[in-house]
Amino acid sequence: MSQQRPVLELENVSVAYDSDKGPVQAVNRVNLTLYPEEIVGLVGESGSGKSTLAYAIMRLLKGSAYLAEGTIRVMGQNVYNLSKKELRQFRWSQMAMVFQSAMSALNPVMTVEEQIIDTLRTHRRDMSLSQARKRAEELLNLVSIDLKHLRSFPHQLSGGMRQRVVIAIAIALDPAFVIMDEPTTALDVVVQRSILDQIQEIQRYVHFAILFISHDFSLVAELASRVAIMYAGRLVEVTNSGRLQLLENHHPYTEGLLRAIPKLTADEVTIEGIPGYPPDLVDLPTGCAFHPRCPRVFADCMTDRPELYQIEDGLVECHLFKGAKEVHYV
Ligand code: SF4
């Protein structure tokens, strides 16, 4: 593991909110570290807690959701100890987020140039208008958008171009890391591929770390160096993406996700899905939350919550790994 100072540290992070049916633990004691220039994928089904965790990191939790437990540090700074004014400066300059929908992230009545300049000058008060204009041009070049679109409004751009503009704004102030929350979900496969290539290329120049959130396991395995798998609010496995070539010796949920990836080169394709549905977070199964769907379930799984075990340089939360070194976070 890297000896560099982490850009993001999550220690026992839990997020809860109130619902009509009762209190919900949407994120449950998550521990994860992101190092400079690293791409970590965060994968899981809808409702597994991925986006809630992202909003907690950005201190953007809405409604009744709140950080119930744990610490979130960005560049060593506890995000929840910042005043509102400090937080406004901290966001975008240290941490930024690319949301799922580019259209709702952009202001429909401002041109691309105005939006980039607005972000720059709100955070860098010493930046002159001509410096901000020059930076806006650099950023559009970086995301491969013709400079003639500086004067375009969001509705005049294609979906892929809009998402590139959002990425340009996210990296405008050189943040240490960017959370990308399903940034290509609404795009067709060809545009999706070109944006992913672009993200990798930009990252080689600009050197920020990425927490890449997706429900598309194959995409994340290709893009990220490490992958964290979430189920029912918990991180059930963290692994190097290289280990995902192996279909075994993982958490059974990870193995199910791996078996569900279609192989284009195979003559005949039988896709094995994971039976059942994710659990209701208000009424989680006892023991291991995955036990009603697990093909390898045994008696202990139904009563005892599994510990976290170290396997090679990854972590897995499953009784099958009893005997491996246990990992405990204080
Ligand atoms: Fe399956 Fe048991 Fe492991 Fe849970 S703890 S994933 S039920 S084997």
Side-chain angles (χ1 to χ4, degrees):
M1 193 57 69
S2 173
Q3 295 305 308
Q4 291 176 288
R5 182 172 105 160
V7 293
L8 172 67
E9 296 161 273
L10 307 179
E11 282 176 16
N12 293 324
V13 171
S14 295
V15 179
Y17 63 89
D18 298 322
S19 79
D20 296 344
K21 294 193 274 176
V24 175
Q25 184 99 357
V27 174
N28 195 335
R29 292 179 73 87
V30 162
N31 289 276
L32 188 67
T33 307
L34 183 65
Y35 290 95
E37 300 179 38
E38 190 182 27
I39 303 182
V40 171
L42 186 59
V43 201
E45 290 163 291
S46 296
S48 58
K50 312 180 297 291
S51 294
T52 305
L53 181 59
Y55 279 78
I57 294 168
M58 294 297 293
R59 226 176 109 179
L60 285 171
L61 289 169
K62 294 192 193 93
S64 65
Y66 61 97
L67 183 75
E69 181 187 12
T71 308
I72 298 174
R73 273 194 291 273
V74 173
M75 302 298 286
Q77 169 68 53
N78 184 332
V79 175
Y80 283 74
N81 282 348
L82 294 168
S83 67
K84 283 192 176 155
K85 188 171 167 218
E86 288 167 335
L87 182 64
R88 270 197 300 276
Q89 290 302 316
F90 201 76
R91 280 201 205 114
W92 304 110
S93 59
Q94 298 294 342
M95 57 180 185
M97 185 160 169
V98 173
F99 297 89
Q100 284 180 29
S101 164
M103 202 56 195
S104 51
L106 294 171
N107 186 330
V109 295
M110 285 172 82
T111 64
V112 168
E113 184 179 47
E114 285 168 345
Q115 305 203 39
I116 299 177
I117 289 176
D118 188 54
T119 305
L120 288 166
R121 297 191 78 204
T122 302
H123 290 83
R124 300 251 166 94
R125 304 230 174 228
D126 56 335
M127 190 177 249
S128 70
L129 189 56
S130 63
Q131 285 172 323
R133 283 208 171 108
K134 189 160 174 287
R135 178 71 176 140
E137 288 180 10
E138 277 170 19
L139 288 162
L140 274 216
N141 279 329
L142 207 54
V143 294
S144 304
I145 293 186
D146 194 302
L147 294 186
K148 71 180 184 200
H149 289 300
L150 278 168
R151 306 264 141 65
S152 298
F153 289 92
H155 72 272
Q156 295 173 308
L157 306 175
S158 67
M161 285 163 84
R162 283 198 289 267
Q163 198 56 286
R164 285 170 202 268
V165 171
V166 172
I167 292 169
I169 293 174
I171 60 173
L173 292 145
D174 293 323
F177 76 90
V178 178
I179 299 176
M180 299 197 174
D181 187 8
E182 311 249 13
T184 58
T185 299
L187 305 172
D188 68 55
V189 194
V190 177
V191 179
Q192 187 177 73
R193 165 53 54 197
S194 84
I195 295 218
L196 291 177
D197 291 345
Q198 184 103 52
I199 289 171
Q200 285 175 301
E201 198 179 319
I202 298 170
Q203 202 233 7
R204 275 196 286 275
Y205 283 109
V206 189
H207 309 301
F208 53 94
I210 301 175
L211 184 62
F212 192 95
I213 299 175
S214 179
H215 61 271
D216 186 336
F217 200 27
S218 56
L219 184 149
V220 166
E222 188 189 324
L223 186 74
S225 53
R226 280 191 300 143
V227 179
I229 295 119
M230 255 185 125
Y231 186 80
R234 296 185 68 84
L235 272 194
V236 294
E237 181 166 358
V238 181
T239 178
N240 280 326
S241 28
R243 276 196 76 244
L244 295 171
Q245 304 296 329
L246 307 170
L247 294 184
E248 289 167 358
N249 206 25
H250 293 286
H251 189 283
Y253 178 59
T254 310
E255 291 178 0
L257 292 174
L258 287 170
R259 279 195 299 273
I261 299 174
K263 312 254 176 321
L264 291 177
T265 48
D267 295 336
E268 200 173 311
V269 180
T270 307
I271 308 263
E272 295 172 48
I274 301 171
Y277 297 96
D280 182 348
L281 294 177
V282 179
D283 187 21
L284 282 175
T286 53
C288 169
F290 187 58
H291 88 248
R293 304 174 76 189
C294 182
R296 301 170 73 182
V297 60
F298 57 100
D300 288 358
C301 306
M302 297 180 214
T303 51
D304 302 342
R305 191 153 119 184
E307 300 290 344
L308 194 61
Y309 298 101
Q310 175 128 34
I311 50 163
E312 298 176 25
D313 51 0
L315 300 169
V316 64
E317 190 183 83
C318 169
H319 288 310
L320 292 172
F321 295 85
K322 236 175 229 173
K325 185 178 166 203
E326 283 184 23
V327 179
H328 294 279
Y329 293 98
V330 188

